[in-house]
Amino acid sequence: MLPDWADRERDEDPDVRAGLTSREREVVSLAVARLSNQEIAGRLVLSVRTVENHLYRAYGKLGVTTRTELAGRLGAQSAGGAAGG
């Protein structure tokens, strides 16, 4: 289950989602949960490169450059030190 901010059906804070695709929301959710790109790829049955591409696009849409900023932007606990980020 995705966190509230990632749920497409919830409209309380459309700013945070900033037009993320459903797959970008999935990848971002797992990145904020401190999974590495490799772990995210395995869980979602994607290549690591595809995970990197989703994160790159999501970062641009959200105006962040790191997982720590990503977690802060989404109001989540800091993901500093996460592998792959």
Side-chain angles (χ1 to χ4, degrees):
M1 178 170 191
L2 295 176
D4 290 344
W5 60 264
D7 187 352
R8 174 187 330 195
E9 302 301 319
R10 297 179 61 108
D11 288 328
E12 286 89 271
D13 197 356
D15 221 30
V16 172
R17 291 193 322 265
L20 297 179
T21 66
S22 60
R23 185 59 97 178
E24 287 167 351
R25 286 191 298 271
E26 289 177 308
V27 170
V28 164
S29 176
L30 294 173
V32 168
R34 299 182 178 194
L35 274 69
S36 70
N37 289 353
Q38 187 170 6
E39 291 168 325
I40 295 168
R43 185 170 292 189
L44 298 179
V45 191
L46 302 170
S47 72
V48 173
R49 182 68 180 146
T50 299
V51 170
E52 292 168 352
N53 285 333
H54 284 306
L55 284 172
Y56 177 80
R57 287 191 300 274
Y59 284 10
K61 291 177 182 180
L62 295 170
V64 300
T65 58
T66 66
R67 287 179 189 229
T68 301
E69 290 175 356
L70 181 64
R73 174 78 168 95
L74 300 172
Q77 222 172 24
S78 174

